[in-house]
Amino acid sequence: MIVLKDVLALLEGELLTPFPSPEAAFRKVFASDLMSDVLTAAEPGSLLLTGLANGHVVCTCSVADLAGVVFIQGKRPAPEVINDALAKNLPLIVTKMTMFEACARMAGRLEDGGHARP
Amino acid sequence: MPAPEAVFRQDFSVKGGDFAKAGTVACRIKELLKDLGLDAATVRRAAIAAYEAEMNVIMYAWEARVDLAVSPDEVHITVDDRGPGISDVELAMTEGYSTATPEMRELGFGAGMGLPNIKKNSDILHIDSRTGKGTRLKIVIRRNGHGAS
């Protein structure tokens, strides 16, 4: 379990959707650029780390009950994607870190066997 | 495998190649099932199966009709597409097998997990495909706490 404010601090992230509580919690972490893999293996309530920044990410998270998204390497989704996430109460974060570094930091922080995959 | 008497039924259409609207039908199905009061696990399984099926239509077929039928015990999703069909269903059910284009993969799809993932999230999956005509998927999901598990 990790909370939003800790994710932001750990990944030096910027929150693109300002509404959620800083105490919003993520049960696990899943990392992938393949939405097919997210639909197959990510658990509900997970935080997704991805290098894909299109609208399919928000749609996939909504369908599979994921709880938030971190876009790596400073990849910013388009304004309409952010608006869609706001409508779906899905927090979006952007970090300048690479996937490997972001995953390594998350894996080091998680104590409950989250699915952080470099 | 006729759908049992449904307490709720709705049809949707999906257009092949319409990536901009991908997921619209699955998200609508999810909203409807939540509004009907189905449990979260059943809603999630139905939404994922519907999304994978919708993506398959968008990536490979020309158009499809999606029928959602909800009975007290089951959720039925029938996807009837007009398209090239699946020449080897057994091969298509193999995890990782894919005929997706690089463009599809750039969108995060086409990893060869679509049909296997539909099966994983279904209690019953029937595939009837005719090459050059189209494919019919019949997906049945038993509602948690209803009927046989």
Side-chain angles (χ1 to χ4, degrees):
Chain A
M1 186 81 80
I2 187 168
V3 297
L4 178 63
K5 67 177 182 183
D6 290 343
V7 174
L8 291 169
L10 204 59
L11 303 184
E12 298 165 17
E14 175 189 347
L15 186 63
L16 301 175
T17 49
F19 63 86
S21 158
E23 299 299 330
F26 307 104
R27 291 169 52 190
K28 295 211 171 179
V29 178
F30 190 88
S32 183
D33 292 345
L34 278 176
M35 296 303 103
S36 301
D37 283 351
V38 176
L39 290 169
T40 304
E43 294 185 22
S46 295
L47 176 69
L48 173 67
L49 273 61
T50 184
L52 201 66
N54 62 37
H56 298 297
V57 175
V58 171
C59 189
T60 299
C61 288
S62 174
V63 164
D65 292 335
L66 270 71
V69 183
V70 176
F71 299 102
I72 52 98
Q73 287 186 249
K75 296 179 182 181
R76 286 175 177 270
E80 58 267 27
V81 176
I82 296 173
N83 288 337
D84 190 25
L86 281 164
K88 291 180 164 71
N89 290 328
L90 184 76
L92 303 182
I93 297 163
V94 62
T95 176
K96 290 181 179 173
M97 293 178 191
T98 63
M99 180 68 101
F100 184 87
E101 185 173 3
C103 286
R105 288 197 181 201
M106 295 296 285
R109 172 65 174 74
L110 288 170
E111 297 173 351
D112 63 352
H115 287 172
R117 293 178 184 173
Chain B
M1 187 181 49
E5 188 173 338
V7 294
F8 179 87
R9 171 162 252 148
Q10 188 158 334
D11 286 347
F12 309 87
S13 61
V14 180
K15 191 177 173 188
D18 192 357
F19 286 94
K21 289 188 179 172
T24 306
V25 170
C27 285
R28 185 67 188 130
I29 285 174
K30 184 174 186 181
E31 287 170 9
L32 288 167
L33 296 180
K34 281 171 76 174
D35 290 347
L36 288 169
L38 274 70
D39 66 281
T42 301
V43 171
R44 185 173 190 265
R45 293 175 72 207
I48 289 175
Y51 192 27
E52 295 279 20
E54 183 180 359
M55 287 308 302
N56 276 349
V57 171
I58 288 168
M59 288 192 291
Y60 301 113
W62 305 315
E63 61 183 358
R65 180 173 160 273
V66 179
D67 178 65
L68 169 70
V70 183
S71 75
D73 296 329
E74 295 172 339
V75 176
H76 285 236
I77 300 169
T78 304
V79 183
D80 213 345
D81 80 42
R82 200 169 64 80
I86 305 169
S87 58
D88 187 335
V89 172
E90 192 176 340
L91 185 60
M93 289 299 295
T94 307
E95 292 187 5
Y97 174 78
S98 175
T99 57
T101 64
E103 179 195 21
M104 296 169 187
R105 293 175 198 269
E106 282 173 11
L107 293 171
F109 291 92
M113 295 303 291
L115 285 174
N117 203 23
I118 293 172
K119 186 175 183 183
K120 177 186 165 190
N121 284 284
S122 308
D123 290 298
I124 301 170
L125 171 63
H126 280 192
I127 303 173
D128 179 15
S129 191
R130 296 179 186 184
T131 305
K133 300 278 187 184
T135 301
R136 173 178 288 178
L137 296 185
K138 289 187 175 182
I139 299 162
V140 180
I141 298 161
R142 294 195 182 100
R143 296 170 60 173
N144 272 1
H146 295 259
S149 58

